[in-house]
Amino acid sequence: MWELTVYKQKRPAGTLSRRRGRINMNQKILKVENLLRFHTICRQLHSLGQRRILAQWKHVFSSAYPVWTAQLYSWPWQTDMLFGAALSQYRLLVTKKEEKSRKSQLSSTKSKKEVEVWIGMTVEELARAMEKDVDCIYEALMNTTMDIDSLEADSHLDEVWIKEVIKKAGMKLKWSKLKQDKVRENKDAVRRPHADLALLTPRSPVVTIMGHVDHGKTTLLDKLRKTQVAASEAGGITQHIGAFLVSLPSGEKITFLDTPGHAAFSAMRARGAQVTDIVILVVAADDGVMKQTVESIQHAKDAQVPIVLAINKCDKAEADPEKVKKELLAYDVVCEDYGGDVQAVHVSALTGDNLMALAEATVTLAEMLELKADPTGPVEGTVIESFTDKGRGPVTTAIIQRGTLRKGSILVAGKSWAKVRSMFDENGKTINEASPSMPVGIIGWRDLPSAGDEILEVESERRAREVIDWRKFEQEQEKNKENLKVIEEKRKEHQDAHRKAREKYGTLHWKERSFIKYQKNKEQKPLKLKEKAERDSNVLPIIIKGDVDGSVEAILNIMDTYDASHECELELVHFGVGDISENDVNLAETFHGVIYGFNVNAGNVIEQSAVKKGVKIKLHKIIYRLIEDLQEELSSRLPCTVEEHIIGEASVLATFSITEGKKKVPVAGCRVQKGQLEKQKKFKLIRNRQVIWKGTLTSMKHHKDDISIIKTGMDCGLSLDEEKIEFKVGDEIVCYEEKEVLTKTSWDPGF
């Protein structure tokens, strides 16, 4: 033990971990020393008992292994010296091994990934910092006291749970302050503050004509501007918003927005009311207040716009203007005759009676409103309509609300911008500038803006691109938020389903679980060809193409009212502005859909390609015809219903039975009361107004003759294909046939 004592005295001081390591090493060495000493004693005792045998073999060992024989017969103190040397070598090896393992531990600690965390971070933020999935956080907290079921992606974690997750992930923790995502600077363009009153100048009123379909709105406007717009419109119905500047004999100017009166254009009428100053509400004196009349009143009230009432068709004999005024009282439209502030003018758009009185009433109301605008500075306006022209590209009709628009101005609207290349008025004449309240056509847009978009002028093309980039970025951010919300909902549903499945199968043996899963997979067989065909027949993919943006919007708004998805699913594959293209045909072929075009054309090449590919192209110029066609197409996809058509009726006057072989067959003696009975048709037996049997006849006889037809007033004997049915006097027997009838869709678009 002398070497061990010396080693302990010369041991250098170190850290607590090193001391513990040395102590463990010394304990191991002591065990080895004791084992070796015990082995030496046993060997010496054995040598004393076998000295003679060893002496006989001494010359062999001494000649072959002289070193080992010398050690074998050495004294115990010599053996201790040998063991001491061996133990010294062992200590050296163990020390080097521990130093090596300690260095490897230090290197592994240095190689751990460092995660920057902060107090109050959420589950999602921690997963992002660790570059892991959110599920890894849940797995790390699985066997802790934390309630994982209540943990959401945006839940804040305490300090202890953050440390626990980092520890289980084998990473290194680094605390920091709460990191803030770099906020992108808002580069959007906005309207200017209100102008100084001294800069304001009078402007013309913007007037919208609203009312029910066929109440004479377009005809009324035609008389004012002395043009025939209605004659060029399909069916006399205005298809989209038109903006026109009308000069009156008095020198006053009025900008009219001719909004469609059809129910399909409700959204467009609403947009017209939001940019207008005055609404002329046209009501037919012979028809009264209708559905679209009420909608027009509501749009005007929502926009807080005053109303001038034009009671049209007063030249008709059945006209009753007073009735119209009384009906409007129910909708808070009180005329001056009844103590209100709404001017009512009796007009006839057809003959032109009192049109000047209507114009004067409009101008008078505009003077009372003291309409003014700032003609200086950057332009502000609203897109009334947008469409694509083959020769001029994207074109918009706009109302200027502030500033003066000139050629070369840089405009932004929605996610599109333009350098004004050309401008034209309602007659197509090129103009150099447009002041407030003027309707103007603008050419030079890079993309087609949407109707209703706000127009703002910016200082340069670079600034315009900056605004568009910001708006696209903002839209993308909103979309990402919506996507994250959907993903989170799906993840929560998945977790709930997983938890329920775990609770359901948690107590079962693995063999039982496997068997249940096998049974479920077996039940979920792929759809057969027939089932797949039935499923595809209940889906109608459609492609919508329109002449202008507002028309397409109106059609899409009608489609939003579709509420018969349980009958046939209506799937919108694509929509756009412009003529039908080859790409539309290819899309329709891919989705087995139908192309609907509104006021657009399809060239001969396109039509031939569609016929070759089996694609339907349906073109319409009146919107309700398009919707009716769509309803018919939906109805054609529905399964036919079977209807019963009665051929004849008979009453049972007597009952008896006849013997056929060994059977007794019940027979009814009947008289035909209505129509005729045909043996080959189907029959039903009615008793007390309830059908108790349906089927076919086995025999029908007149006296003793078998016949196939019995007419009204004739008697006959009938036997049924059901022997258990017993006839009673007073029963009714009805002969009928079944016919398949096309089912009509239950979708009601509202007109």
Side-chain angles (χ1 to χ4, degrees):
M1 295 296 292
W2 180 78
E3 290 84 3
L4 182 61
T5 307
V6 173
Y7 178 80
K8 289 181 179 180
Q9 290 175 352
K10 293 182 179 181
R11 182 180 61 191
T15 61
L16 180 61
S17 60
R18 290 183 179 179
R19 290 193 188 111
R20 290 177 179 173
R22 297 294 186 186
I23 291 171
N24 292 334
M25 185 186 70
N26 290 337
Q27 289 176 352
K28 293 177 182 178
I29 293 173
L30 285 174
K31 290 179 181 180
V32 173
E33 288 178 348
N34 293 334
L35 182 62
L36 290 174
R37 289 183 182 280
F38 178 74
H39 180 69
T40 303
I41 293 170
C42 291
R43 188 171 60 182
Q44 289 177 356
L45 291 173
H46 182 72
S47 64
L48 290 174
Q50 302 294 333
R51 188 176 296 276
R52 292 180 181 179
I53 299 172
L54 293 172
Q56 293 175 1
W57 294 91
K58 180 177 180 183
H59 65 281
V60 178
F61 287 105
S62 61
S63 59
Y65 308 100
V67 178
W68 285 103
T69 53
Q71 291 179 356
L72 186 64
Y73 290 99
S74 61
W75 294 97
W77 65 272
Q78 292 175 336
T79 304
D80 290 342
M81 291 179 64
L82 178 63
F83 291 157
L87 289 171
S88 298
Q89 293 295 324
Y90 177 76
R91 291 190 190 100
L92 181 63
L93 290 173
V94 171
T95 304
K96 288 183 178 180
K97 186 176 180 180
E98 287 187 351
E99 290 291 337
K100 187 177 180 180
S101 63
R102 186 162 58 251
K103 288 180 180 179
S104 65
Q105 288 177 0
L106 289 173
S107 63
S108 65
T109 304
K110 290 180 181 179
S111 64
K112 283 184 178 179
K113 182 181 178 180
E114 193 173 67
V115 181
E116 190 173 4
V117 298
W118 57 90
I119 296 174
M121 71 189 309
T122 63
V123 174
E124 189 176 8
E125 290 172 341
L126 181 57
R128 196 183 303 117
M130 295 171 62
E131 296 182 357
K132 298 282 186 181
D133 192 11
V134 177
D135 293 335
C136 295
I137 310 298
Y138 289 101
E139 291 175 5
L141 299 173
M142 185 73 74
N143 297 321
T144 61
T145 57
M146 190 169 194
D147 184 13
I148 301 177
D149 295 334
S150 63
L151 198 64
E152 303 293 341
D154 56 351
S155 300
H156 295 278
L157 294 173
D158 294 335
E159 181 180 346
V160 62
W161 302 124
I162 296 175
K163 290 181 178 179
E164 183 71 18
V165 172
I166 298 295
K167 179 181 177 182
K168 288 189 176 181
M171 299 180 180
K172 189 176 179 181
L173 195 70
K174 181 182 178 182
W175 291 100
S176 68
K177 295 181 180 180
L178 179 62
K179 296 185 71 175
Q180 297 287 342
D181 293 334
K182 187 177 179 180
V183 179
R184 186 170 174 175
E185 185 181 355
N186 190 335
K187 298 289 186 178
D188 200 5
V190 295
R191 285 181 178 265
R192 292 178 287 156
H194 292 294
D196 187 0
L197 296 178
L199 299 176
L200 300 181
T201 58
R203 64 174 178 85
S204 303
V206 179
V207 179
T208 300
I209 296 183
M210 291 186 175
H212 190 71
V213 64
D214 294 334
H215 276 200
K217 301 179 304 302
T218 305
T219 307
L220 177 63
L221 194 60
D222 286 341
K223 289 293 181 180
L224 291 171
R225 60 182 174 171
K226 294 182 180 179
T227 57
Q228 295 296 321
V229 174
S232 64
E233 296 285 358
I237 297 176
T238 305
Q239 302 299 326
H240 51 79
I241 292 178
F244 308 94
L245 186 65
V246 176
S247 297
L248 302 178
S250 61
E252 300 286 345
K253 292 183 178 182
I254 303 175
T255 298
F256 283 97
L257 297 184
D258 182 16
T259 63
H262 200 279
F265 296 87
S266 176
M268 296 171 65
R269 287 205 310 274
R271 184 181 304 121
Q274 289 167 1
V275 298
T276 193
D277 301 311
I278 299 170
V279 167
I280 294 180
L281 181 64
V282 179
V283 184
D286 61 337
D287 203 4
V289 177
M290 303 299 287
K291 182 179 179 181
Q292 280 77 41
T293 310
V294 178
E295 290 180 4
S296 300
I297 294 171
Q298 190 59 48
H299 292 321
K301 288 184 177 180
D302 292 342
Q304 298 180 353
V305 177
I307 294 175
V308 174
L309 178 61
I311 304 177
N312 194 21
K313 301 184 181 181
C314 290
D315 55 319
K316 287 191 174 184
E318 60 271 21
D320 189 357
E322 295 302 321
K323 178 185 175 183
V324 173
K325 295 178 184 178
K326 291 177 181 178
E327 288 179 352
L328 290 172
L329 292 174
Y331 304 100
D332 295 331
V333 178
V334 185
C335 299
E336 292 177 340
D337 297 347
Y338 293 91
D341 55 358
V342 176
Q343 300 180 75
V345 184
H346 300 183
V347 298
S348 173
L350 190 62
T351 61
D353 293 342
N354 276 344
L355 291 188
M356 286 302 101
L358 178 63
E360 290 174 3
T362 304
V363 171
T364 302
L365 182 57
E367 291 175 354
M368 293 175 61
L369 295 174
E370 296 183 354
L371 301 174
K372 294 182 179 181
D374 178 14
T376 62
V379 171
E380 297 175 4
T382 301
V383 176
I384 299 301
E385 195 47 87
S386 60
F387 58 94
T388 301
D389 187 272
K390 287 185 178 180
R392 299 181 292 183
V395 181
T396 62
T397 302
I399 294 290
I400 305 303
Q401 295 168 310
R402 188 175 181 182
T404 301
L405 182 64
R406 295 179 176 86
K407 185 178 178 180
S409 299
I410 309 298
L411 307 177
V412 293
K415 289 177 282 298
S416 177
W417 68 279
K419 182 176 182 180
V420 180
R421 195 166 69 242
S422 177
M423 298 183 296
F424 57 92
D425 60 11
E426 66 275 8
N427 298 317
K429 184 181 178 182
T430 302
I431 57 176
N432 296 322
E433 63 179 29
S435 55
S437 296
M438 277 189 64
V440 59
I442 303 172
I443 300 173
W445 294 94
R446 298 301 189 268
D447 297 302
L448 194 67
S450 299
D453 284 346
E454 182 183 60
I455 295 176
L456 297 174
E457 184 181 358
V458 294
E459 56 271 18
S460 64
E461 294 185 15
R462 180 181 178 183
R463 172 62 179 148
R465 293 190 185 95
E466 194 176 57
V467 172
I468 301 306
D469 289 342
W470 164 257
R471 291 180 178 180
K472 289 180 178 179
F473 167 76
E474 200 171 29
Q475 184 185 32
E476 184 179 353
Q477 293 296 106
E478 291 295 327
K479 187 177 180 181
N480 290 339
K481 287 180 181 179
E482 293 177 0
N483 292 340
L484 286 174
K485 186 177 180 181
V486 172
I487 292 170
E488 182 61 26
E489 290 175 354
K490 293 291 184 183
R491 185 193 65 79
K492 191 173 181 181
E493 290 177 4
H494 175 72
Q495 283 186 341
D496 293 340
H498 177 69
R499 185 177 67 255
K500 290 178 181 178
R502 188 173 57 187
E503 293 174 355
K504 183 177 180 180
Y505 302 124
T507 58
L508 299 177
H509 190 265
W510 67 271
K511 291 184 178 179
E512 295 175 338
R513 288 199 300 268
S514 300
F515 178 73
I516 293 174
K517 290 180 180 178
Y518 168 75
Q519 292 290 341
K520 283 190 174 182
N521 293 332
K522 189 176 180 182
E523 292 174 359
Q524 295 174 354
K525 295 179 180 179
L527 289 172
K528 297 179 181 179
L529 292 176
K530 184 178 179 182
E531 293 175 346
K532 187 177 184 298
E534 290 178 354
R535 183 194 63 184
D536 293 342
S537 66
N538 288 331
V539 179
L540 176 58
I542 62 172
I543 295 172
I544 302 294
K545 295 299 288 289
D547 57 341
V548 293
D549 187 67
S551 299
V552 176
E553 180 189 10
I555 296 171
L556 297 183
N557 286 340
I558 297 174
M559 290 180 58
D560 288 340
T561 66
Y562 185 71
D563 55 358
S565 297
H566 58 286
E567 298 173 350
C568 180
E569 184 178 349
L570 186 60
E571 180 181 349
L572 180 63
V573 176
H574 172 68
F575 65 89
V577 176
D579 290 338
I580 296 170
S581 64
E582 186 66 29
N583 183 45
D584 299 327
V585 176
N586 293 334
L587 275 175
E589 181 190 18
T590 303
F591 290 93
H592 306 288
V594 181
I595 301 175
Y596 284 92
F598 181 71
N599 275 341
V600 295
N601 297 317
N604 293 331
V605 177
I606 300 298
E607 289 183 350
Q608 291 173 4
S609 175
V611 171
K612 186 177 179 180
K613 295 178 180 179
V615 173
K616 294 180 183 177
I617 297 179
K618 300 189 175 184
L619 304 177
H620 294 275
K621 293 187 178 296
I622 300 177
I623 194 167
Y624 60 77
R625 298 294 185 198
L626 185 149
I627 301 304
E628 288 175 357
D629 194 327
L630 180 58
Q631 286 178 296
E632 291 177 3
E633 189 68 32
L634 287 165
S635 300
S636 67
R637 305 253 172 163
L638 302 180
C640 296
T641 57
V642 178
E643 290 186 357
E644 295 180 356
H645 291 268
I646 297 175
I647 299 173
E649 298 177 359
S651 58
V652 178
L653 303 179
T655 62
F656 52 93
S657 60
I658 60 173
T659 303
E660 291 183 356
K662 296 182 179 180
K663 294 182 180 179
K664 286 188 176 183
V665 179
V667 178
C670 305
R671 179 172 293 165
V672 180
Q673 304 291 343
K674 185 178 180 182
Q676 63 184 23
L677 305 185
E678 300 180 17
K679 185 179 179 181
Q680 301 302 324
K681 302 296 183 182
K682 293 185 177 181
F683 289 80
K684 56 184 176 181
L685 181 63
I686 301 175
R687 182 177 298 160
N688 298 327
R689 297 182 179 180
Q690 292 185 354
V691 178
I692 61 174
W693 168 84
K694 278 186 176 184
T696 57
L697 301 180
T698 56
S699 68
M700 183 168 68
K701 294 185 178 183
H702 179 61
H703 299 300
K704 294 184 179 181
D705 301 326
D706 288 327
I707 57 176
S708 58
I709 297 176
I710 296 289
K711 296 184 178 180
T712 305
M714 296 177 64
D715 296 334
C716 61
L718 306 177
S719 61
L720 312 180
D721 60 358
E722 180 64 45
E723 298 178 358
K724 296 181 180 179
I725 298 295
E726 294 183 359
F727 298 104
K728 289 185 179 181
V729 176
D731 290 348
E732 293 181 10
I733 295 179
V734 177
C735 176
Y736 68 96
E737 63 179 349
E738 293 180 345
K739 290 184 178 180
E740 289 188 347
V741 180
L742 293 176
T743 306
K744 290 187 178 181
T745 179
S746 61
W747 174 40
D748 181 13
F751 55 86

